Amino acid sequence: MISSGLFVNLCIFSFFVSIMIAIRIFLLQRLAHKYKWMSGVYASIVSAILMIYSVTYQQITYDLRFLPLILTVLYFGYRAGAVAGITMAVCSIYLESHWLLTILILIFTFLFSLPLIRYRKQFSLLKQSLLCFFIHFIVHVLLTNYFWNTPIQSPFYSEIEYLVFGILGLGVAVATIEFYRKFYAVAEEAAYVGSDSCKDEEDSFFVRIMKKELEYTKEQLESFINHHMDAVIITDLEGRILRVNEAYEKVYGWKAHEVVGKTYYEIAGAFSEDVHENIKKTVAEKEAINRVEVVRARKDGSLVDLRITISPIFNGKDELIGLSGVCVDISEAKKARKELDLLHRKLKESELKYRTLFEYANDAIYLLEIGSNHFPSRFIEVNEAGCKRFGYTREELLSMPCQDIIPRDSDIVRKTVEEIRQGNLSFTLQSQFTFKSGEVKKLEYSGKLFNIENKKVLLIVSRDRTEYLETEELLQKSEKLAAVGQLATAIAHEIRNPLTAIKGFMQLLTEKASKEELTYMNIISSEIERIEMITDEFMSVAKPQAVTFQSIDLQLLIQQVILLLQPQATMKNIFIELHSYGELPLVYCESNQMKQVFINILKNAIEAMPSGGEIKVELRQKDNNHLHIQIIDEGVGISKDRIKHLGEPFYSIKEDGIGLGLMICFNIIQQHKGTLSIESEVNKGTNVEICLPLK
């Protein structure tokens, strides 16, 4: 078993603890506080010796190497502990093959023990040491058995043995050290009381005079000290405490009999340096030191913020005989001041964040004051994006009435006022607004109504949705075009089969037809070819195909189309008139496609004139590179909100229309690198203008 090895470790550890106490007694008692780091080196040497006498059981090493490190941290602080830990890690590298495991246990033990710093003063040193060792034990078990490359073969009781010997070692060490400390304090006090110097001081005339003066002063100040709400402390010129009141006991936690006779430096401990300087300054200058803010340690180790006033005490001969200190606990006030400063800083940071968010937001943000009539009256605040959108500076917007910037009859104001009157505190709307530059934008804006200093204000966050809606519209068109492509492919495939049969029979009839019949046969054959071209055009909607361009007399082509549609126009009492201005050049185009365009447009014009009338077709060359064709009818016209949708698939203003005719026309003109525009007015007619390049 591992008991024998751990017992050897325990004996070695106890021996070196005793050696350290002997060194402190005979060599370093007065200088030990200046050489705390040496304790860390000493602890690491002891740990190295314990490593040498370690015992290995089932590939796991057991020893008490971490006990010196724990004691060093508890008695000399984390700096000395860090020295011990680093030196111990170096020793482990040279003495062990599994040195990495030791370093990992050391690191994790140190990290998990850090939270004890905050609460360590609430426990005795024995409890602190046992708690630290228990943390180390958990880390040791987890790393060696679960995370290190070591098989889990060791029985449970081997770990228990390690835990028991560790607790036993710490108990012996802490008990020995604490017994020594208390015994030394008692011995030192007894030695001082029984010394000849103390007796000589009592017999000296000067001491007797000083005591009388102090007693006289004590009688005068007794009532003041006892009933003072703040901590009061009376010391001699060397800083030895002579008197404290009850408030001192409450502030510091020390009882009067525990501190009287001791120097203030012993009570202050780590904070004695500024105490020495303040007392030295008061004695030298014989003047009070007012309202010095310091930090002191209570008996339990907790810190307290104090405001101290140190005043000199004189006897009847104006001789300085002592010092008085008044300590005011300002912990709560300082905490409140820190919280207030923190709150102010957070408010400033929050204001800066929201100001940055407000100023650099991509959306336009406005803060408007709402009048009694529910209409916006003026701008209270606006960000940079809002200024750019309206085309004014921030100063101009804040100085101008709201109605000078946004008219009251505008759609955006009307909708907003309606929401406010309905009692809606928050809302989201869409509207269209024409800005100062003449630019028309489609806006989506959210409003939030609330009160500021008894005034109704409206926060508006406006976003430009113009491009988004246009993109959405294009996506819808592309979806329709995809559907048209599928439909066109199916229709063209079905039409081609009967066309093949009709074309064959027409060829047979042409051989037996008379001259007059042959004229009609040629027209029918020409129309059959056009039907084939239409089916090809349907196919091109789904899959664009190469077409043959050639120079065409466009005037002759339009005359053929008019001749074809004249019977239908005559039946509706419509006269189609062709006007050409000047000598017209040939146009480089595909004749069948252009014929399809003119047939579709003229058919639409005829159908738009149920009461008859006149259709004008005008051709003119406006420049050297383009030919313009205008088709003007006197039909029912088209409203402006419908014109922008013309050319979209499945959109038609006719009851029996499917919206593919104009779509094909736009597609053909686009392939010819030309333009097609439509202007119309309800009950006055429509003007279709086509512009084609000559080359």
Side-chain angles (χ1 to χ4, degrees), residues 383-666:
N383 68 343
E384 185 65 23
C387 295
K388 289 181 179 179
R389 186 168 293 179
F390 278 111
Y392 294 99
T393 64
R394 179 176 177 273
E395 290 72 17
E396 289 174 340
L397 281 174
L398 298 183
S399 61
M400 297 170 61
C402 191
Q403 61 184 6
D404 291 350
I405 304 170
I406 310 176
R408 289 193 171 186
D409 58 351
S410 62
D411 182 63
I412 192 170
V413 173
R414 181 181 56 79
K415 289 182 177 180
T416 301
V417 172
E418 184 178 350
E419 292 290 335
I420 295 174
R421 286 177 175 171
Q422 290 177 358
N424 296 328
L425 299 180
S426 60
F427 50 85
T428 300
L429 301 171
Q430 289 186 352
S431 182
Q432 183 171 290
F433 187 76
T434 303
F435 289 90
K436 173 186 174 183
S437 60
E439 188 177 11
V440 179
K441 289 184 177 292
K442 297 176 181 178
L443 305 174
E444 179 182 88
Y445 60 97
S446 299
K448 179 69 176 179
L449 190 68
F450 51 92
N451 292 328
I452 296 181
E453 297 180 354
N454 297 324
K455 293 182 180 179
K456 281 188 178 182
V457 294
L458 180 65
L459 178 65
I460 294 290
V461 180
S462 176
R463 177 171 296 178
D464 184 2
R465 305 284 286 178
T466 307
E467 293 184 2
Y468 173 81
L469 294 175
E470 289 177 353
T471 304
E472 190 178 44
E473 187 176 353
L474 289 175
L475 288 174
Q476 292 176 354
K477 287 183 179 180
S478 62
E479 291 176 357
K480 290 181 180 179
L481 286 173
V484 168
Q486 297 176 355
L487 179 62
T489 304
I491 293 174
H493 180 74
E494 295 298 328
I495 291 177
R496 279 181 173 177
N497 293 331
L499 276 180
T500 303
I502 294 173
K503 193 172 181 180
F505 283 114
M506 285 300 301
Q507 289 178 354
L508 294 175
L509 292 174
T510 302
E511 296 175 358
K512 300 178 181 181
S514 61
K515 185 176 182 180
E516 183 179 358
E517 291 174 344
L518 189 60
T519 302
Y520 295 111
M521 292 294 183
N522 290 334
I523 294 174
I524 295 173
S525 298
S526 175
E527 292 306 310
I528 291 175
E529 292 178 358
R530 192 171 67 82
I531 293 174
E532 288 181 334
M533 285 300 302
I534 292 174
T535 58
D536 291 338
E537 191 63 35
F538 272 117
M539 293 295 293
S540 69
V541 172
K543 182 178 180 181
Q545 300 175 353
V547 293
T548 303
F549 286 78
Q550 56 186 348
S551 297
I552 300 296
D553 184 353
L554 207 60
Q555 182 177 358
L556 179 60
L557 182 68
I558 293 176
Q559 286 177 349
Q560 293 176 356
V561 173
I562 292 174
L563 179 62
L564 178 65
L565 297 177
Q566 189 62 56
Q568 183 179 352
T570 303
M571 293 175 60
K572 293 189 175 183
N573 196 24
I574 298 172
F575 178 69
I576 304 175
E577 184 178 358
L578 176 63
H579 297 281
S580 58
Y581 299 92
E583 185 176 353
L584 301 177
L586 300 178
V587 178
Y588 191 67
C589 63
E590 211 290 323
S591 59
N592 287 320
Q593 286 187 342
M594 292 309 302
K595 183 185 292 186
Q596 179 66 40
V597 170
F598 295 129
I599 289 175
N600 287 346
I601 294 174
L602 286 173
K603 283 185 66 178
N604 287 340
I606 293 171
E607 293 173 355
M609 300 170 62
S611 302
E614 182 181 9
I615 299 176
K616 294 181 181 179
V617 182
E618 298 179 353
L619 290 84
R620 59 170 58 85
Q621 183 181 359
K622 286 190 175 182
D623 53 46
N624 296 328
N625 299 318
H626 295 86
L627 181 69
H628 288 254
I629 305 100
Q630 280 187 300
I631 302 174
I632 306 169
D633 65 50
E634 299 175 347
V636 296
I638 308 169
S639 61
K640 291 183 179 180
D641 58 336
R642 290 189 170 188
I643 288 179
K644 63 182 179 181
H645 296 292
L646 294 179
E648 295 181 6
F650 306 118
Y651 182 84
S652 176
I653 59 176
K654 296 180 289 186
E655 293 183 359
D656 56 349
I658 60 173
L660 295 178
L662 276 178
M663 185 200 73
I664 294 175
C665 293
F666 276 103

Side-chain angles (χ1 to χ4, degrees), residues 214 233-240 242-243 265 275 278-284 286-287 309-314 320-325:
L214 289 175
I233 179 172
I234 306 296
T235 70
D236 59 18
L237 299 181
E238 296 178 354
R240 191 175 299 277
L242 304 175
R243 177 84 166 91
Y265 315 120
V275 175
N278 289 330
I279 293 178
K280 185 178 178 181
K281 182 178 179 182
T282 305
V283 172
K286 296 183 179 181
E287 293 182 356
T309 299
I310 302 177
S311 303
I313 301 176
F314 299 94
L320 182 64
I321 60 172
L323 302 172
S324 68

Side-chain angles (χ1 to χ4, degrees), residues 1 11 31 63 115 130 132 169 174 190 237 254 282 481 491 576 589 656:
M1 297 301 172
C11 293
L31 302 177
D63 54 58
L130 294 178
C132 289
V174 173
L237 299 181
W254 296 93
T282 305
L481 286 173
I491 293 174
I576 304 175
C589 63
D656 56 349

Side-chain angles (χ1 to χ4, degrees), residues 39-103:
S39 302
V41 176
Y42 181 82
S44 61
I45 294 173
V46 176
S47 297
I49 295 173
L50 295 177
M51 291 182 203
I52 296 174
Y53 290 95
S54 63
V55 57
T56 302
Y57 181 74
Q58 294 188 357
Q59 301 185 21
I60 299 177
T61 301
Y62 293 92
D63 54 58
L64 304 179
R65 69 182 73 178
F66 285 93
L67 299 188
L69 175 62
I70 293 173
L71 291 178
T72 302
V73 172
L74 292 178
Y75 281 97
F76 299 101
Y78 276 84
R79 291 184 180 178
V83 173
I86 294 172
T87 313
M88 175 181 170
V90 174
C91 294
S92 175
I93 294 175
Y94 285 97
L95 296 176
E96 293 185 315
S97 59
H98 296 298
W99 54 269
L100 182 58
L101 177 60
T102 299
I103 294 176

Side-chain angles (χ1 to χ4, degrees), residues 6 145 152 217 223 239 248 316 529 599:
L6 290 176
N145 291 335
I152 306 174
T217 305
S223 177
Y248 176 90
E529 292 178 358
I599 289 175

Side-chain angles (χ1 to χ4, degrees), residues 349-388:
E349 292 176 356
S350 178
E351 181 182 357
L352 179 61
K353 290 178 182 178
Y354 282 108
R355 173 57 61 179
T356 303
L357 178 63
F358 180 82
E359 290 294 341
Y360 295 100
N362 293 326
D363 297 333
I365 304 176
Y366 312 99
L367 192 62
L368 302 167
E369 183 178 340
I370 304 300
S372 57
N373 56 358
H374 304 297
F375 280 89
S377 58
R378 67 182 183 92
F379 286 92
I380 300 176
E381 190 57 88
V382 60
N383 68 343
E384 185 65 23
C387 295
K388 289 181 179 179

